[in-house]
Amino acid sequence: MLKIQFIKRPTESTLKMLFRRSGTLRTQSPASADYEAVGLVQGPLADIIAAGDVAEKTSGVLVEEIQGICPQHFTMIALFGDTSAVAVALAVISEKIDGKQLNFN
């Protein structure tokens, strides 16, 4: 079972938290980032890898691994992009991997 969160217009502080835990965005300034929305997907490793693949194939989002307390394990990804692209990616992930229908209206 996946846990999914959808953040519209994330604050700079929210982006800072996510960027610090990301491998490739760690050195980027959230002030220079142009992301309208962030989707967070947490769950079992196999589902998370499949979710990242589905998200990139479905819409124009940037998928980033978000590291937790233990750097050897990751169980969450963040999807960065415009609001509609993130919403579509999260809905497709939920349907294909979790078998649930989501509506972000």
Side-chain angles (χ1 to χ4, degrees), residues 10-16 19 25 27-35:
T11 65
E12 187 174 339
S13 296
T14 299
L15 291 175
K16 280 182 184 177
F19 283 20
L25 295 177
T27 59
Q28 186 174 336
S29 167
S32 67
D34 189 25
Y35 301 119

Side-chain angles (χ1 to χ4, degrees), residues 18-75:
L18 291 169
F19 283 20
R20 269 194 308 269
R21 298 200 168 273
S22 166
T24 58
L25 295 177
R26 186 167 295 163
T27 59
Q28 186 174 336
S29 167
S32 67
D34 189 25
Y35 301 119
E36 291 178 7
V38 177
L40 302 174
V41 183
Q42 184 177 19
L45 182 59
D47 289 344
I48 292 302
I49 292 171
D53 186 62
V54 166
E56 285 188 338
K57 289 176 179 174
T58 301
S59 63
V61 294
L62 171 65
V63 178
E64 283 291 320
E65 168 188 347
I66 302 299
Q67 297 173 346
I69 295 170
C70 180
Q72 290 82 12
H73 298 92
F74 77 93
T75 58

Side-chain angles (χ1 to χ4, degrees), residues 3 6 16-17 25 32 43 54-55 59 78 86 90 94 104:
K3 182 170 183 171
F6 184 41
K16 280 182 184 177
M17 284 189 285
L25 295 177
S32 67
V54 166
S59 63
V86 172
L90 291 175
S94 181
F104 293 111

Side-chain angles (χ1 to χ4, degrees), residues 81-100:
D82 65 42
T83 303
S84 60
V86 172
V88 166
L90 291 175
V92 173
I93 287 169
S94 181
E95 185 178 334
K96 287 192 173 191
I97 296 178
D98 235 6
K100 297 177 184 174

